[in-house]
């Protein structure tokens, strides 16, 4: 049966035909449902909570009901809170303003507690040392803001100039202008991505010494209308991987650069850290791959059926330790 996205946890988990109690292979990794009472017990074993954002803390421009109360609950119990989003279109400062506008605790949910691929990309390039070389950038304002903060020079963002295709010959492809002194190609979501950008990126990457860095490889991102597919950075990165024949260093979840960034900055103990998100292939896998506890909330992309499919396909790295309808379903009536 199809389970609703946001409903009372007691209603969801009392149903006798709940898929997680439907006789799965006992050798499969088990996922435990959480309610306020059980979450309170689990919380005692966790020092740091890492939250995905879209589909968990907010959906589009709207706050996820109940999520601010859970944050307040964790703050009251002196838990460390980190927000880790795979969205690089905006900077950490912009996301901090959004969280404050949506009613989140600004003392614990600010720029200093936020991580996104834009910040990790900028940090990666800064640590690599480009020796004065520039970055060819396919990406939105968030990447530019974070690279500006670290003094990294870039070009290529925004719409390409229209090529003269009046004769229909496609001759522009044989006379494409490439810049010199390029040290890296950075690829993320960009609404102006087109064939010319793909061609330029692929040609810059012919040079072995040019770094290829990607923000994330999410196929889609959640939105308020579940009937509309919203492509994320993944399809853009895939196009350039295919054309260039090179694999990028991807910094977003579930990849290790984001984990290393967090470990350096907060010195977390993975065994006492919980990753909470709405996707099994990014959030849950990120947590599992790096030794953290994991919680899937059903308020965004992936649902119970996705957990079952991962179990059946023996993808333990995408099976969460815990599941809940949404963050609000974990908060006791009185906090």
């Amino acid at each position: 049966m199809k389970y609703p996205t946001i409903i009372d946890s007691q209603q969801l988990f009392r149903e006798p035909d709940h898929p997680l109690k439907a006789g799965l292979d006992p050798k499969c990794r088990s996922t435990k449902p959480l309610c306020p009472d059980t979450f309170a017990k689990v919380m005692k074993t966790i020092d740091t909570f890492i939250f995905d954002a879209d589909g968990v803390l907010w959906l589009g421009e709207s706050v996820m009901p109940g999520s601010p109360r859970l944050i307040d609950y964790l703050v009251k119990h002196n838990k460390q809170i980190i927000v880790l989003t795979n969205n690089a279109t905006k900077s950490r400062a912009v996301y901090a303003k959004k969280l404050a506008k949506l009613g989140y605790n600004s003392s614990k949910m600010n720029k200093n507690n936020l991580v996104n691929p834009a910040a990790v990309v900028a940090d990666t390039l800064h640590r690599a040392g480009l020796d004065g070389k520039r970055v060819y950038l396919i990406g939105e304002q968030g990447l530019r803001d974070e690279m500006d903060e670290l003094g990294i020079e870039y070009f290529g963002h925004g719409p390409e100039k229209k090529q003269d295709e009046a004769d229909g010959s496609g001759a522009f492809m044989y006379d494409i202008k490439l810049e010199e002194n390029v040290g890296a190609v950075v690829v993320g979501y960009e609404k102006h991505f087109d064939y010319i950008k793909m061609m330029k990126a692929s040609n810059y990457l012919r040079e072995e010494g040019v770094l290829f860095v990607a923000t994330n490889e999410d196929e889609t991102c959640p939105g308020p209308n579940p009937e509309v597919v919203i492509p994320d950075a993944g399809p853009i990165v895939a196009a350039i991987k295919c054309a260039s024949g090179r694999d990028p260093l991807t910094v977003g979840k579930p990849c290790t650069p984001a984990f290393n960034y967090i470990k350096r900055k907060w010195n977390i103990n993975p065994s006492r850290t919980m990753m909470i998100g709405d996707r099994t292939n990014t959030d849950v896998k990120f947590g599992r791959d790096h030794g953290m506890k994991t919680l899937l909330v059903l308020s965004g992309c992936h649902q119970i059926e996705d957990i079952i499919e991962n179990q059946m396909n023996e993808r333990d790295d995408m099976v969460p330790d815990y599941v809940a309808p949404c963050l609000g379903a974990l908060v006791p009536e009185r906090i």
Side-chain angles (χ1 to χ4, degrees):
M1 68 181 286
K2 179 69 176 177
Y3 284 83
T5 299
I6 304 177
I7 60 174
D8 177 74
S9 60
Q10 297 299 319
Q11 176 188 342
L12 175 61
F13 298 130
R14 281 176 184 162
E15 297 193 38
D17 58 345
H18 190 297
L20 296 181
K21 300 175 182 177
L24 289 171
D25 184 343
K27 295 180 182 179
C28 288
R29 178 182 175 85
S30 62
T31 297
K32 299 175 183 177
L34 289 180
C35 65
D37 290 343
T38 52
F39 179 72
K41 294 177 182 178
V42 171
M43 187 175 68
K44 294 177 182 178
T45 68
I46 303 296
D47 299 324
T48 302
F49 288 84
I50 304 177
F51 292 90
D52 179 41
D54 211 349
V56 179
L57 302 176
W58 65 65
L59 190 60
E61 297 304 314
S62 301
V63 68
M64 195 65 72
S67 293
R69 290 191 72 238
L70 179 73
I71 299 300
D72 291 341
Y73 180 50
L74 296 177
V75 169
K76 183 178 179 180
H77 286 82
N78 300 312
K79 302 301 181 180
Q80 179 167 255
I81 295 169
I82 300 169
V83 178
L84 172 62
T85 174
N86 261 8
N87 193 325
T89 61
K90 298 178 178 64
S91 67
R92 290 170 295 161
V94 172
Y95 282 127
K97 291 179 181 178
K98 179 173 183 175
L99 285 165
K101 182 180 178 181
L102 294 176
Y104 285 95
N105 186 322
S106 59
S107 68
K108 292 293 183 180
M109 306 281 272
N110 53 52
K111 178 185 174 182
N112 295 326
N113 301 88
L114 278 160
V115 181
N116 74 343
V120 183
V121 164
D123 179 73
T124 299
L125 296 174
H126 183 71
R127 291 164 62 85
L130 295 175
D131 296 325
K133 293 184 178 181
R134 297 188 298 162
V135 174
Y136 179 66
L137 173 63
I138 297 174
E140 294 289 334
Q141 187 66 47
L143 278 164
R144 306 200 290 272
D145 289 345
E146 297 289 352
M147 287 199 281
D148 285 341
E149 194 167 308
L150 294 180
I152 298 168
E153 189 177 352
Y154 54 86
F155 70 101
H157 56 282
E160 288 283 347
K161 292 181 180 179
K162 292 292 183 182
Q163 303 292 322
D164 184 7
E165 302 177 31
D167 61 1
S169 66
F172 74 91
M173 292 190 294
Y174 310 120
D175 192 30
I176 197 162
K177 182 181 178 182
L178 297 174
E179 302 288 335
E180 297 181 354
N181 202 35
V182 175
V185 171
V186 170
V187 181
Y189 167 82
E190 187 184 302
K191 58 181 174 290
H192 299 295
F193 179 68
D194 59 12
Y195 187 87
I196 296 174
K197 287 181 179 290
M198 179 171 62
M199 190 173 179
K200 286 185 176 181
S202 302
N203 278 276
Y204 288 130
L205 289 170
R206 291 181 65 192
E207 296 293 331
E208 187 175 338
V210 174
L211 302 175
F212 182 14
V213 184
T215 57
N216 61 296
E217 297 189 48
D218 296 42
E219 300 89 348
T220 60
C221 51
N225 185 349
E227 301 303 318
V228 176
V229 174
I230 307 174
D232 204 328
I236 298 175
V237 174
I240 295 171
K241 282 172 63 175
C242 181
S244 68
R246 287 185 57 179
D247 292 321
L249 172 66
T250 302
V251 305
K253 297 171 291 185
C255 301
T256 297
F259 174 78
N260 289 341
Y261 180 94
I262 290 172
K263 192 79 166 59
R264 284 196 303 270
K265 188 170 182 179
W266 286 281
N267 194 30
I268 64 169
N269 177 354
S271 67
R272 293 188 62 85
T273 300
M274 176 177 281
M275 178 70 218
I276 302 177
D278 68 317
R279 298 180 68 112
T280 62
N281 62 337
T282 54
D283 303 312
V284 172
K285 183 170 172 55
F286 177 76
R288 291 293 316 280
D289 285 353
H290 298 100
M292 295 178 264
K293 297 291 189 296
T294 56
L295 165 61
L296 181 76
V297 288
L298 308 179
S299 49
C301 284
H302 288 158
Q303 301 296 309
I304 293 290
E305 295 89 343
D306 298 293
I307 299 176
I308 299 298
E309 183 177 351
N310 291 336
Q311 288 176 321
M312 293 178 66
N313 292 330
E314 299 183 350
R315 287 302 307 266
D316 279 2
D317 58 340
M318 297 195 296
V319 176
D321 296 291
Y322 304 102
V323 64
C326 60
L327 295 184
L330 303 174
V331 188
E333 290 186 12
R334 294 184 179 182
I335 63 172

